[in-house]
Amino acid sequence: FCVVMPETASENAYQTVLAAVNAVKALKLKHDYSAMGTYLTVSAGVATAVPNQNNDWTDLLKLADDALYEAKNAGRDRVSSRAI
């Protein structure tokens, strides 16, 4: 899913998403059929940009997707951030 936070600085967006990731972890929801671990976890990609003529929403979406896969490949249960 996607969360849009207009007029939010990169660090604030990162901290907000990190709080959500940690809140899910704190719930300790059992994930019995996962090969990754006992409990449900979240990986997230954060992307921020100041809109201009050289970028559009598709650039931001691609950046967020890249950050998400960076988080997953780094071991999951984490947040990765990128900015234009």
Side-chain angles (χ1 to χ4, degrees), residues 21 24-31 37-42 77:
V21 167
V24 170
K25 183 190 293 188
L27 292 172
K28 292 192 175 191
L29 299 172
K30 294 284 267 175
H31 199 327
T38 305
Y39 299 106
L40 179 72
T41 63
V42 175
D77 190 28

Side-chain angles (χ1 to χ4, degrees), residues 3-81:
V3 176
V4 178
M5 294 183 272
E7 299 183 27
T8 304
S10 295
E11 183 60 26
N12 291 346
Y14 178 87
Q15 291 300 324
T16 299
V17 173
L18 182 60
V21 167
N22 288 333
V24 170
K25 183 190 293 188
L27 292 172
K28 292 192 175 191
L29 299 172
K30 294 284 267 175
H31 199 327
D32 292 332
Y33 302 105
S34 172
M36 297 296 161
T38 305
Y39 299 106
L40 179 72
T41 63
V42 175
S43 296
V46 176
T48 57
V50 175
N52 63 45
Q53 293 177 333
N54 297 320
N55 63 45
D56 65 24
W57 68 270
T58 59
D59 297 323
L60 190 59
L61 185 61
K62 171 79 168 88
L63 201 63
D65 191 54
D66 291 346
L68 170 60
Y69 281 94
E70 180 178 273
K72 288 178 171 283
N73 291 332
R76 301 181 182 252
D77 190 28
R78 64 193 66 231
V79 180
S80 181
S81 181

